[in-house]
Amino acid sequence: MLLSVMIIIASGTAIYLSTQKDKIQSFIIDELNNNINAIVNAGDLDIKLFHNLPYLSATFSDVEVIPYHEKGEKGRDTVLVANKVFIDIDIWQALVKKKVLIRSLEISDGMLYLKKSEKGSVNWNIWQKENDSKKKE
């Protein structure tokens, strides 16, 4: 009986994820963009529910990360370009609490472009402190 319930829940979740792929992709990208000092762009998304339970495995293709510049800096320097980016997300946090918690991240076939400006700022300092992301809301 318990096994049947687990199969039904897993099947329902898999169907939901496959039918909501575009919304899930937008949700993940929006959360990333709201919580780092950069713009993340990505192509297609492939979702695997049973690859690394209890996490949702998501593979983004054609990913680029473009950091914001400090005032007075010119241009937009891409810091990362990757063919594939693999992430494992806590599925229950994402579905129930609408919060993306990345448990692992792997970059495949990519290039980092690390630069330091004449003013001393660097393009790879994209991580926000927790308080910074709350200021954007």
Side-chain angles (χ1 to χ4, degrees):
M1 180 69 166
L2 181 61
L3 180 60
S4 298
V5 171
M6 290 175 57
I7 290 172
I8 290 170
I9 290 171
S11 298
T13 303
I15 291 169
Y16 173 79
L17 292 173
S18 66
T19 60
Q20 300 297 313
K21 185 174 143 180
D22 291 339
K23 287 182 182 179
I24 293 167
Q25 181 172 0
S26 293
F27 175 69
I28 294 170
I29 295 295
D30 288 347
E31 282 296 303
L32 288 171
N33 285 333
N34 288 332
N35 289 289
I36 63 174
N37 291 318
I39 298 169
V40 177
N41 296 313
D44 196 31
L45 170 66
D46 181 35
I47 300 172
K48 292 187 175 133
L49 179 60
F50 302 109
H51 182 71
N52 193 17
L53 284 175
Y55 305 119
L56 170 78
S57 295
T59 303
F60 288 95
S61 61
D62 304 321
V63 177
E64 66 177 357
V65 178
I66 305 166
Y68 295 123
H69 285 287
E70 294 181 20
K71 287 186 177 182
E73 296 290 325
K74 294 182 181 176
R76 301 188 97 175
D77 296 322
T78 301
V79 70
L80 171 71
V81 175
N83 186 33
K84 300 279 184 194
V85 173
F86 308 91
I87 58 175
D88 286 332
I89 300 168
D90 187 321
I91 189 168
W92 301 116
Q93 291 287 328
L95 291 175
V96 177
K97 295 185 178 180
K98 304 282 189 210
K99 185 175 184 180
V100 175
L101 293 177
I102 296 175
R103 297 299 180 191
S104 69
L105 176 104
E106 180 183 333
I107 299 168
S108 175
D109 192 22
M111 292 290 296
L112 284 173
Y113 300 98
L114 306 179
K115 295 182 181 180
K116 185 174 183 179
S117 75
E118 292 176 4
K119 294 182 178 183
S121 64
V122 294
N123 71 336
W124 65 85
N125 189 14
I126 63 171
W127 309 112
Q128 290 183 359
K129 296 178 183 171
E130 191 172 334
N131 294 339
D132 291 344
S133 64
K134 291 180 182 175
K135 290 177 187 175
K136 284 186 174 182
E137 296 175 357

